[in-house]
Amino acid sequence: MAYTFFRGDVKLKNRIRELREKKNLTLVELSDLLFKMFAIKISPDLLSKYERGDRKAKSNTLAGLTYIFGVPTDYLDGSKTIKSIIIDGVLDRLKMERIYFKVSEERGGYPVEKLKNYIEEEMKSDFITFLLSDAYEEKAGTDGESLNVRIIEAIRLISNAVLLRTDTDNFSPSGIFRHLIFDADSIGQEFESDNLDFSTISEEQRKTINEILPIIRKIREQTKTAFEQLAKDKNINPETGFERMIRERKSK
């Protein structure tokens, strides 16, 4: 099934008016929201000038608007499209996963254009297209996830898919095992994040997390070890070409 992508796949001066109208807010109502939620005093007339591009909003105002509309700042101000936000987000994640762009393919690197082609191909999948579409919003209704949340989820899913393609050289056994080991290692890590805000949950919930975390850690280690052992039994080295090169260089 084909879906129409969420509006905004061309660069604009900004998308404030479009997003305000999607939420059925008047300029007066948006002005009131900014003041009530963030103590940002912006008149309806000034908001109108922001919408027309006659004035540029300050960073704190943009931050408040992005929170209200649930979109990335660079989407709100028109500097990026959804597609470019996702491409940049995926490339950033690939860098974190040690996918090297400036290294030859023979040494385990990947040209940026090749990675971008992979990303664009994954963006065309039915689920990603639906996730970012107006149709998803209409189905989810007012209780649905914000565009910002959906973009983050799309970046995560596409990153995993592209990692599988890059690390596996078209689904080689070594890459598949590396992908599985990485997934096993990440089980439950969101509950151990330094950024986890425990102030938003109850004492009972904190107690439950603390009770379950040791079990999750044990499962994580057992699963990771099992995949590593299976790879060893199959005589498969789940490393990228670049990782092998670094390891061999250090051993000399």
Side-chain angles (χ1 to χ4, degrees):
M1 182 181 293
Y3 296 101
T4 303
F5 254 87
F6 194 98
R7 291 188 298 277
D9 40 353
V10 294
K11 287 191 177 181
L12 306 171
K13 55 187 177 184
N14 68 66
R15 298 181 172 91
I16 300 174
R17 180 175 180 179
E18 174 189 339
L19 293 165
R20 174 176 63 80
E21 290 178 345
K22 282 179 71 69
K23 279 192 168 290
N24 295 314
L25 292 171
T26 66
L27 286 166
V28 173
E29 289 170 335
L30 181 56
S31 174
D32 288 343
L33 268 179
L34 283 168
F35 184 72
K36 289 176 182 176
M37 296 177 72
F38 308 105
I40 297 173
K41 195 171 183 179
I42 302 290
S43 70
D45 181 61
L46 184 53
L47 281 174
S48 180
K49 289 178 180 178
Y50 291 161
E51 289 186 348
R52 295 195 302 270
D54 296 339
R55 293 279 297 274
K56 188 175 181 180
K58 293 181 180 179
S59 58
N60 66 328
T61 304
L62 279 175
L65 291 171
T66 57
Y67 183 88
I68 289 170
F69 297 133
V71 299
T73 301
D74 41 16
Y75 177 80
L76 176 73
D77 67 16
S79 60
K80 286 187 178 182
T81 64
I82 291 175
K83 179 178 178 180
S84 63
I85 291 171
I86 290 175
I87 289 175
D88 290 346
V90 175
L91 289 176
D92 285 343
R93 283 199 61 167
L94 294 180
K95 288 177 184 176
M96 291 172 63
E97 296 302 329
R98 298 171 67 184
I99 299 296
Y100 294 87
F101 305 160
K102 296 181 180 180
V103 180
S104 68
E105 291 189 72
E106 292 75 20
R107 296 173 63 196
Y110 289 88
V112 173
E113 288 309 311
K114 186 173 184 178
L115 293 172
K116 285 183 177 179
N117 287 338
Y118 287 164
I119 295 168
E120 291 184 20
E121 287 174 18
E122 295 298 334
M123 286 182 70
K124 294 175 183 176
S125 71
D126 287 344
F127 180 74
I128 297 297
T129 303
F130 176 58
L131 182 66
L132 300 172
S133 70
D134 283 325
Y136 183 96
E137 259 201 335
E138 291 164 5
K139 184 174 181 180
T142 55
D143 295 328
E145 298 168 340
S146 69
L147 177 62
N148 197 42
V149 170
R150 288 184 280 140
I151 286 175
I152 291 170
E153 178 64 4
I155 288 172
R156 185 186 71 82
L157 293 172
I158 293 170
S159 296
N160 289 345
V162 173
L163 271 172
L164 191 60
R165 293 181 68 170
T166 54
D167 287 350
T168 63
D169 295 320
N170 295 323
F171 301 97
S172 70
S174 62
I176 290 174
F177 272 109
R178 185 176 186 273
H179 183 77
L180 292 172
I181 291 167
F182 172 79
D183 271 1
D185 195 39
S186 66
I187 295 171
Q189 284 188 350
E190 61 267 29
F191 292 111
E192 299 183 285
S193 169
D194 292 335
N195 298 320
L196 190 62
D197 185 4
F198 281 102
S199 66
T200 61
I201 62 177
S202 68
E203 182 64 33
E204 185 178 349
Q205 288 172 319
R206 286 198 291 272
K207 183 180 177 182
T208 301
I209 290 174
N210 290 331
E211 288 176 352
I212 292 176
L213 268 180
I215 302 170
I216 291 175
R217 292 192 193 105
K218 186 175 181 180
I219 291 171
R220 185 165 62 214
E221 287 305 314
Q222 289 175 339
T223 307
K224 182 181 174 184
T225 300
F227 281 135
E228 288 173 340
Q229 185 60 51
L230 184 57
K232 185 177 180 180
D233 292 344
K234 297 290 184 182
N235 197 29
I236 293 169
N237 185 354
E239 291 181 311
T240 65
F242 192 84
E243 286 172 333
R244 285 194 295 274
M245 181 188 73
I246 295 297
R247 177 175 54 79
E248 290 165 2
R249 181 178 293 173
K250 285 181 178 179
S251 66
K252 291 181 180 179

